[in-house]
Amino acid sequence: MKHFLIIIFLAYCSSLATAQEPIEWTPDYELQLTDYRSPESEINSALTSYSIYSGSKIDFSFNMNSVSFMFTKNFNSKIKAVFHPNLAVLVAPDSLTAQQLLQFGRYDFDLVELYARKIRKKVYEEKGAFSDSKLFQPIFNEYQEEMNTVSAQVFKATDFGKDTELLIKEHNKVIDGINQLSEFCMTCKPNKNRK
């Protein structure tokens, strides 16, 4: 019986650890309220304010020697749009506000994927045979700043997602942008003739 309880406890701990793993963006997955797993997240009628921290970001990492780096052109798989459930905070006084904030969170996650694709495209176009890894930082910084500005503008214009009509319009623009950069998905190989 003691071993059985230990196994159940380990399985429970394992499921908690897995639950906190970042969620990579895919076209099939839509964020849910249950994905906002920060201890600060709550829906409580006693609250008089509401807020969201989306938990979405661009992760960029690669580990290769200089020869491999020199001959690598496609870095799509190294640039990821991810959502961190343990960092994502959603605070609302009621379920309607929570759903509006969630819609903004979904918009923001898609916006992160759009900018990940823009970075993948720019890196693909700029990376030459003798480029070094310093090439990436200015590209990343430029697009990160632009993405943050766009997100803040839409956040303000839609009043945290409360203007659902405007948010849907902005979200559709982001989806169109993602579709236009279809060959720069994380698992895609761009057309070699592209410059």
Side-chain angles (χ1 to χ4, degrees):
M1 181 68 172
K2 182 178 176 183
H3 294 292
F4 179 71
L5 290 175
I6 291 172
I7 290 170
I8 288 181
F9 176 74
L10 291 175
Y12 174 74
C13 290
S14 173
S15 71
L16 286 178
T18 305
Q20 297 301 314
E21 289 295 314
I23 299 168
E24 290 183 4
W25 186 94
T26 66
D28 308 329
Y29 188 75
E30 189 172 74
L31 292 176
Q32 305 300 315
L33 285 173
T34 54
D35 291 323
Y36 288 79
R37 296 189 191 129
S38 166
E40 288 77 30
S41 292
E42 67 175 313
I43 301 171
N44 183 340
S45 60
L47 296 172
T48 56
S49 63
Y50 49 89
S51 63
I52 185 171
Y53 173 71
S54 76
S56 300
K57 64 178 250 175
I58 297 171
D59 277 350
F60 180 57
S61 63
F62 63 92
N63 186 14
M64 57 180 68
N65 64 38
S66 57
V67 174
S68 295
F69 180 84
M70 191 181 303
F71 291 106
T72 300
K73 178 80 171 160
N74 178 4
F75 284 85
N76 286 1
S77 65
K78 311 292 186 201
I79 303 167
K80 300 176 182 179
V82 294
F83 177 86
H84 294 271
N86 56 332
L87 300 177
V89 180
L90 191 147
V91 177
D94 54 65
S95 60
L96 175 63
T97 304
Q99 284 298 321
Q100 291 167 334
L101 292 171
L102 176 61
Q103 291 303 325
F104 182 82
R106 289 172 176 165
Y107 159 82
D108 204 57
F109 195 21
D110 286 341
L111 184 69
V112 170
E113 172 62 16
L114 172 61
Y115 276 87
R117 289 184 186 211
K118 287 183 177 192
I119 292 170
R120 291 174 193 137
K121 179 178 187 282
K122 185 80 167 180
V123 166
Y124 185 77
E125 291 172 345
E126 300 286 323
K127 168 74 172 61
F130 299 104
S131 300
D132 66 23
S133 60
K134 293 176 187 165
L135 162 82
F136 300 116
Q137 197 62 51
I139 294 170
F140 180 82
N141 291 346
E142 174 192 347
Y143 282 114
Q144 182 73 43
E145 186 177 326
E146 185 180 311
M147 180 183 73
N148 291 343
T149 300
V150 170
S151 180
Q153 288 170 343
V154 171
F155 191 64
K156 183 177 179 183
T158 63
D159 187 23
F160 294 78
K162 287 189 168 290
D163 185 339
T164 54
E165 190 175 310
L166 179 57
L167 184 58
I168 289 169
K169 181 179 172 185
E170 293 298 325
H171 201 164
N172 286 338
K173 286 184 195 174
V174 168
I175 298 298
D176 288 345
I178 288 171
N179 291 334
Q180 288 170 12
L181 294 171
S182 61
E183 70 180 300
F184 292 98
C185 77
M186 193 177 75
T187 58
C188 298
K189 293 190 182 211
N191 182 346
K192 289 188 182 197
N193 297 327
R194 184 181 189 94
K195 174 59 187 153

